[in-house]
Amino acid sequence: MKVECAYGMESTVTIQIAAVGDDANMNVFWSTVVEPVLARCPSQVSIHLPDVRPLSLAQMAAVVAIATRVRSNGGTVSYIGAEPDFHQVVEVFARRPEDSGKKAKVGFVRQVGLSTIHTVQTGFSILVFAVSLVVALIGAIRHPQTIRWRDFFGAAAASSTDALPVTVLLCSIVGFIIAFQTMPSFEQFGMPSMVGVVIGVSMVRELGPLITAIILAGRSGSAFAAELGTMTVTNEIDALRALDLEPVRFLVVPRLLAVAIMAPLLSILATLAGLMGGYLVLWDKDISFLFFYDQLKHSLHPHDFMQAVFKMFVFSLLVGSAGCLAGLQTADGPGAVGRSATRAVVAGIVLVILADGLMGAIFYSLGW
Amino acid sequence: MTHANDESSVILSADRLSIGYDGEAVMRDLSFDVRRGEVLVICGGSGCGKTTLMRTIATLLPPISGSLKVSGVELVGADKRGLTTIRNSIGVMFQNGALFGGLSVLENVMLPMEAHRHLRKPVRREMARCLLSAVYLQDAANKLPNELSGGMQKRAAIARALALEPPIVVLDEPSAGLDPITSAELDQLIKYICHSTRRSFIVVTHELPSIFEIADRMVFLDATTKTVTAVGKPQELLRSGPERVRQFLSRTPNDPKKEAA
Ligand SMILES: Nc1ncnc2c1ncn2[C@@H]1O[C@H](COP(=O)(O)OP(=O)(O)O)[C@@H](O)[C@H]1O
Ligand SMILES: [Mg+2]
């Protein structure tokens, strides 16, 4: 490859464009010829073209880079060894943006203001969502024939039978862990059988619903956000609105009803699994199942079970609506659906634990 | 041109090619070839299998039967190296653009160069700017794809298809969604790149002005017979092609009297 760059008088520069070479040659040509010319920006340049036609894109890029730079400074460019219409050919590739100014930076005060507005807007949109959700739920209960049963059954299966294995597995392991972690202390006091009470109370009143709710947030909450988020990104939500179908009623209600009905049932099975897991440790200490059952009967009351089911009902509504809201609020752009799914899971779990604490305090102060 | 010369100028040839999904043929017994430096237009009704053919040519969909040769390499039963050869010699613009949403338009065009060439970044950037200029997107270089209109996304996708200077460029409905002026400019661009660089273009379009403007030859796919009805120059097909093709090219509606008969 020949590289020539003769700097003549009166800042006239003659350049021989590199004949077709491999990429390494082109790199050398670029740094030894093109970049110095771009830096010096001579007022007159004559560019010798190689014989082989057509020029490769890299060769054309070199010609265009020099030509645009020189001309933008009021200089002239001439092509040697070019066909007559070569000027026009260069023009095809030489259109450059009018102003290449970068976007103005956002100042600190403005930044704070913007994020305040954003927070207020988000709070407001959550309020709007909650109101329209309540309206839509009441409407759906009054007119059950308007519910989209296909979505309902899909979400119902996903939040119950599909989630059953993992929920049962995790709860039984947690029950098992609690039992053998507390066992040594109770043995110290000479009453290992009291572990049964601990497992019963913690599983039924607290952990059964809580673990189920967390799994629900991870599986159904994120799925709702991804489904509705994808529909938002592909304008399907807009299409629904344009068809005068309210997305909350059409998409959110069936999903919420599905989890609100199925998740409490799932949490009952999860609780039973937790109790069984804990009993494994008692069984190892030769405590009979009947004795364990008797202990549960004495330490728990029917309203404990009712409370657990009610809590799970609240949890599932929170997780479901956090997921759907995150989906409907999906922004534009790449990764937006992923961010919505993340937000759905995090918001779902935070809401569940907050609500758990709140309900626990209320039930306690009421003496339930 | 001698016959032997003619043979060697064939860069892609399909022979009794059947294409479709899961063994179910959408089109059967397709035979046609693409010559170096020509624009071959593929047209046919909506849903007749044009995109399916594009996907097959782009090696994304295995043919059901028959043979497809690209740059002398047989696609059916090709090993990894063969596939690489074929993929490197074809640039594809998908019907919806298929730009990478996380990258700016300029980065979209630079990405293939980054992966397959060993050029320094300023060179690649200047090359990408040249391509964007050629498709009139110089002002959108730093925008994200979802900030562009549909037609702009298509043009960006064309620029990306050209990034590696492939000998065959496949465009799926490039002018759909463009205004007549931009569409005409795009036709000029396709013709220009094709004839000045002896690059072959396979263009799917049903826009009649576009067909007559750019097509060196056209292949007409018919949904009813599920195969190629005619291959030839558009002017000749309009004059003396099969009836269905003449009807298509002259934009004549179906004659209800004739259909009843
Ligand atoms: N992924 C797919 N799986 C199965 N069938 C498909 C798929 N994509 C398209 N088809 C079918 O193949 C046929 C041709 O479609 P396509 O090639 O997209 O048509 P067009 O000519 O409009 O581009 C249609 O009947 C369509 O239903
Ligand atoms: Mg198509």
Side-chain angles (χ1 to χ4, degrees):
Chain A
M1 185 193 71
K2 262 195 303 183
V3 176
E4 273 174 31
C5 186
Y7 295 95
M9 307 279 287
E10 290 151 357
S11 99
T12 299
V13 173
T14 306
I15 295 164
Q16 168 78 51
I17 291 292
V20 185
D22 59 15
D23 289 352
N25 280 345
M26 189 41 88
N27 283 337
V28 172
F29 174 71
W30 198 271
S31 40
T32 56
V33 178
V34 179
E35 276 167 357
V37 172
L38 293 182
R40 282 188 39 170
C41 194
S43 61
Q44 222 172 348
V45 177
S46 52
I47 300 178
H48 285 259
L49 300 177
D51 297 334
V52 179
R53 285 298 135 80
L55 294 187
S56 77
L57 184 57
Q59 290 171 321
M60 186 53 92
V63 172
V64 169
I66 293 168
T68 47
R69 178 89 174 97
V70 168
R71 278 186 319 198
S72 72
N73 262 31
T76 54
V77 184
S78 55
Y79 305 106
I80 296 165
E83 49 276 22
D85 66 345
F86 191 74
H87 274 280
Q88 282 130 282
V89 176
V90 172
E91 289 323 303
V92 172
F93 297 100
R95 289 182 280 259
R96 290 295 177 269
E98 295 286 306
D99 64 323
S100 55
K102 292 260 186 300
K103 271 185 198 164
K105 266 195 176 172
V106 183
F108 175 72
V109 175
R110 205 175 144 72
Q111 187 79 54
V112 171
L114 283 176
S115 44
T116 310
I117 291 172
H118 183 74
T119 311
V120 171
Q121 276 176 345
T122 309
F124 185 69
S125 67
I126 291 174
L127 200 66
V128 170
F129 176 75
V131 170
S132 57
L133 184 57
V134 170
V135 171
L137 274 175
I138 292 172
I141 290 165
R142 283 178 55 194
H143 307 282
Q145 74 277 11
T146 63
I147 297 172
R148 292 259 308 163
W149 291 105
R150 189 158 17 146
D151 280 14
F152 173 88
F153 287 119
S159 59
S160 57
T161 46
D162 297 354
L164 188 62
V166 64
T167 317
V168 163
L169 179 73
L170 291 192
C171 273
S172 54
I173 293 174
V174 168
F176 180 77
I177 292 170
I178 290 174
F180 80 69
Q181 293 282 32
T182 50
M183 182 58 87
S185 309
F186 282 101
E187 274 186 318
Q188 230 173 2
F189 295 113
M191 38 187 182
S193 60
M194 281 305 283
V195 169
V197 177
V198 173
I199 300 168
V201 172
S202 62
M203 268 296 151
V204 172
R205 295 180 58 134
E206 203 46 61
L207 289 177
L210 198 60
I211 293 172
T212 312
I214 288 173
I215 293 173
L216 191 73
R219 298 189 75 242
S220 300
S222 60
F224 293 171
E227 284 164 17
L228 302 197
T230 309
M231 293 182 76
T232 308
V233 171
T234 55
N235 289 339
E236 287 174 53
I237 302 286
D238 286 344
L240 281 176
R241 288 216 173 91
L243 291 168
D244 199 26
L245 297 167
E246 185 47 49
V248 169
R249 179 143 189 192
F250 201 73
L251 298 170
V252 179
V253 165
R255 287 174 171 76
L256 269 192
L257 286 180
V259 291
I261 292 170
M262 300 314 286
L265 299 178
L266 182 65
S267 86
I268 293 174
L269 294 178
T271 305
L272 291 178
L275 295 176
M276 288 305 108
Y279 175 68
L280 277 184
V281 177
L282 298 180
W283 175 67
D284 188 49
K285 299 284 171 193
D286 290 329
I287 295 166
S288 78
F289 186 78
L290 275 181
F291 184 78
F292 175 55
Y293 179 73
D294 216 41
Q295 266 185 326
L296 291 183
K297 238 167 72 175
H298 280 102
S299 53
L300 293 166
H301 304 280
H303 66 72
D304 287 321
F305 288 95
M306 301 305 293
Q307 226 180 70
V309 170
F310 175 73
K311 276 209 303 198
M312 192 59 223
F313 175 72
V314 174
F315 292 166
S316 59
L317 285 180
L318 291 174
V319 165
S321 37
C324 292
L325 178 64
L328 291 178
Q329 284 183 341
T330 301
D332 247 4
V337 176
R339 281 197 297 279
S340 288
T342 307
R343 212 166 39 165
V345 175
V346 173
I349 292 175
V350 168
L351 284 175
V352 161
I353 291 181
L354 286 181
D356 195 26
L358 193 66
M359 283 190 284
I362 291 174
F363 292 150
Y364 183 78
S365 63
L366 291 176
W368 287 358
Chain B
M1 202 184 271
T2 63
H3 183 72
N5 215 336
D6 211 40
E7 280 286 285
S8 72
S9 77
V10 169
I11 192 160
L12 179 148
S13 72
D15 187 25
R16 300 181 58 79
L17 181 71
S18 291
I19 56 171
Y21 301 89
D22 305 320
E24 204 175 312
V26 171
M27 277 276 150
R28 280 191 224 101
D29 283 339
L30 305 178
S31 299
F32 60 88
D33 44 40
V34 183
R35 299 176 195 149
R36 213 175 281 275
E38 80 169 345
V39 177
L40 183 81
V41 163
I42 294 184
C43 66
S46 217
C48 75
K50 302 181 296 294
T51 298
T52 310
L53 179 57
M54 302 280 98
R55 288 174 56 82
T56 311
I57 292 174
T59 73
L60 303 173
L61 188 69
I64 295 174
S65 66
S67 122
L68 180 66
K69 261 199 190 133
V70 182
S71 300
V73 181
E74 174 60 56
L75 171 66
V76 181
D79 57 0
K80 206 156 175 286
R81 258 190 50 214
L83 276 183
T84 305
T85 311
I86 295 177
R87 285 184 181 154
N88 284 345
S89 52
I90 297 179
V92 185
M93 185 214 89
F94 292 93
Q95 197 163 5
N96 60 3
L99 297 170
F100 304 114
L103 303 179
S104 73
V105 171
L106 190 73
E107 288 166 336
N108 261 283
V109 179
M110 283 169 69
L111 184 75
M113 304 177 189
E114 211 170 298
H116 290 288
R117 297 194 64 166
H118 307 285
L119 291 165
R120 284 177 49 219
K121 192 159 183 190
V123 191
R124 281 186 268 130
R125 195 184 303 125
E126 196 59 44
M127 288 161 69
R129 287 217 183 100
C130 286
L131 288 175
L132 288 183
S133 153
V135 295
Y136 300 92
L137 280 181
Q138 61 277 8
D139 293 319
N142 295 319
K143 289 193 171 157
L144 288 175
N146 67 345
E147 295 169 328
L148 303 185
S149 73
M152 290 163 89
Q153 289 184 10
K154 288 205 163 172
R155 282 180 280 152
I158 294 177
R160 192 180 64 185
L162 291 170
L164 294 178
E165 306 170 74
I168 306 171
V169 183
V170 177
L171 308 178
D172 197 353
E173 308 211 9
S175 44
L178 299 190
D179 62 275
I181 295 173
T182 320
S183 161
E185 281 171 349
L186 196 61
D187 287 347
Q188 294 310 315
L189 177 74
I190 292 171
K191 255 172 58 172
Y192 170 73
I193 296 176
C194 176
H195 295 148
S196 69
T197 63
R198 296 254 306 147
R199 200 155 279 159
S200 309
F201 275 73
I202 303 175
V203 181
V204 166
T205 183
H206 8 227
E207 293 204 6
L208 291 177
S210 221
I211 294 176
F212 286 109
E213 180 64 30
I214 65 176
D216 292 312
R217 290 184 311 139
M218 61 182 283
V219 170
F220 191 88
L221 302 181
D222 196 338
T224 48
T225 57
K226 287 193 168 189
T227 189
V228 175
T229 314
V231 182
K233 292 189 166 62
Q235 294 294 354
E236 284 171 14
L237 290 183
L238 177 62
R239 241 181 295 121
S240 54
E243 159 138 29
R244 185 103 177 91
V245 182
R246 272 184 288 142
Q247 185 191 1
F248 185 96
L249 290 177
S250 57
R251 223 164 164 267
T252 319
N254 281 336
D255 189 349
K257 266 185 265 164
K258 234 178 180 172
E259 270 180 15

